[in-house]
Amino acid sequence: MEAASLPAALELAAGGGAGLSPEKRAVLGASLLLLQRDYRFERVWFWGCIQGVRGVYYIAEGLGPDRAAPRSRLYSLNCVEWSLLPPATEEMVARAEQLKGRFQGDPSFEYEYTEINAEDAERLFEDGKEPMIKEESRLVATIEQIDRAVGIIPRGAFVKTPLGSVRENRNFEGLSLTEAKKLSSYFHFTEPVNLKNKTLLEKADLDPSTDFLDSLEHDIPQGSWTVQLEKGGTVVVLRSLLWLGLTFYHVPMTKQYGYVYFGTGEKNLDLPFML
């Protein structure tokens, strides 16, 4: 969610009970604006929090002119001092998926190879690498996983230019209430997968400038999203059951939307058996 509208956005997404104290909101609102100035980001988003056993990671994302370009990710333990995270790699994501259990809240904490799949550990030994994962690497990979799986935007909020870059749509005035209640009106804000598999006939009905991402209606497993009306029916809220703690909000007929994550950074692997 946008750093500039953080207090109001947190109020709209707070229906699930998660949120920040007034003190944290005030400190975060000021430090994110300084972060944007110091790193010269065009926009800064407050991504959310990952709760560890001994501490909390506050996450922010910095964006450039091309919204589809890889985002810069930063974390803080106190909402004041921020550290830049390294870019996520496929190897990081694959190794982090092997880890189970809570985050510790210490970026320098190392997960021993006994906590990693035996085959992966053996391969690392052969490659001459230490079979350890620092919590900082796991943090990067988890943020990447969550963004890929449940980072979403409303249809029409962004447009793809003829040159391939993605920009905010200045003409976007929000979804109607009817459209806002449909999963097909929301897109994953990441590289599309299902779109590439569609036939030419199916693509004929799509607008290439706005329908360039995968919609939520075909997410697997079916039923992994809940859609609710809150604040007297004036706010549409989507919550992920796959990554518990991810909340998306949109005020129909306005430009107000965003998502935030308040959780432990653990995927709900039991979801297929719960539906």
Side-chain angles (χ1 to χ4, degrees):
M1 52 178 60
E2 286 281 353
S5 58
L6 188 62
L10 285 172
E11 283 293 334
L12 293 173
L20 298 172
S21 66
E23 294 81 6
K24 287 292 183 189
R25 291 187 191 188
V27 172
L28 201 57
S31 69
L32 288 177
L33 294 177
L34 293 174
L35 188 71
Q36 182 174 354
R37 183 200 67 184
D38 294 344
Y39 283 88
R40 298 182 180 178
F41 294 133
E42 190 168 293
R43 289 286 178 89
V44 169
W45 286 354
F46 175 61
W47 184 88
C49 303
I50 291 182
Q51 179 73 50
V53 176
R54 299 194 295 268
V56 181
Y57 293 107
Y58 299 92
I59 314 296
E61 293 187 329
L63 291 84
D66 184 357
R67 297 296 191 258
R71 286 162 252 174
S72 299
R73 296 183 173 118
L74 304 98
Y75 75 92
S76 174
L77 298 173
N78 56 11
C79 294
V80 178
E81 299 167 335
W82 295 87
S83 300
L84 191 63
L85 288 165
T89 64
E90 292 301 327
E91 184 184 4
M92 275 185 189
V93 174
R95 291 175 67 185
E97 285 178 340
Q98 304 292 334
L99 297 172
K100 301 291 185 288
R102 295 279 301 275
F103 279 80
Q104 296 300 308
D106 176 8
S108 61
F109 180 81
E110 293 183 337
Y111 294 89
E112 299 289 343
Y113 71 91
T114 52
E115 299 176 51
I116 307 173
N117 183 288
E119 292 180 5
D120 291 342
E122 187 177 344
R123 179 171 53 80
L124 288 170
F125 271 126
E126 292 172 356
D127 293 343
K129 297 179 182 178
E130 284 292 321
M132 289 185 176
I133 298 179
K134 278 195 172 182
E135 182 150 285
E136 187 180 73
S137 296
R138 185 188 180 192
L139 181 65
V140 175
T142 301
I143 296 170
E144 179 71 17
Q145 282 180 278
I146 294 174
D147 267 344
R148 287 181 189 177
V150 290
I152 59 176
I153 58 170
R155 181 180 184 272
F158 290 82
V159 292
K160 191 170 188 177
T161 67
L163 297 176
S165 61
V166 176
R167 311 276 175 165
E168 290 183 21
N169 186 1
R170 294 182 181 179
N171 298 320
F172 178 70
E173 295 296 337
L175 301 170
S176 67
L177 182 59
T178 304
E179 290 297 316
K181 291 187 286 187
K182 299 177 183 176
L183 281 180
S184 57
S185 298
Y186 301 96
F187 292 153
H188 289 283
F189 197 32
T190 187
E191 188 69 25
V193 178
N194 297 331
L195 188 65
K196 296 175 182 177
N197 299 326
K198 288 192 173 183
T199 64
L200 291 174
L201 194 61
E202 290 173 317
K203 290 181 179 179
D205 296 329
L206 303 179
D207 182 344
S209 64
T210 55
D211 300 319
F212 57 93
L213 299 168
D214 289 334
S215 75
L216 269 59
E217 61 180 332
H218 300 302
D219 277 14
I220 298 173
Q222 288 284 337
S224 60
W225 291 96
T226 66
V227 182
Q228 297 169 312
L229 290 175
E230 297 186 358
K231 307 287 184 184
T234 59
V235 183
V236 178
V237 175
L238 278 69
R239 292 190 175 87
S240 173
L241 301 180
L242 187 62
W243 289 94
L244 297 171
L246 191 287
T247 304
F248 172 89
Y249 74 93
H250 176 47
V251 181
M253 305 306 293
T254 74
K255 295 184 177 183
Q256 297 181 65
Y257 68 87
Y259 67 86
V260 67
Y261 178 79
F262 290 104
T264 60
E266 296 174 284
K267 191 175 184 179
N268 182 16
L269 299 175
D270 295 328
L271 179 61
F273 307 102
M274 297 166 65
L275 296 173

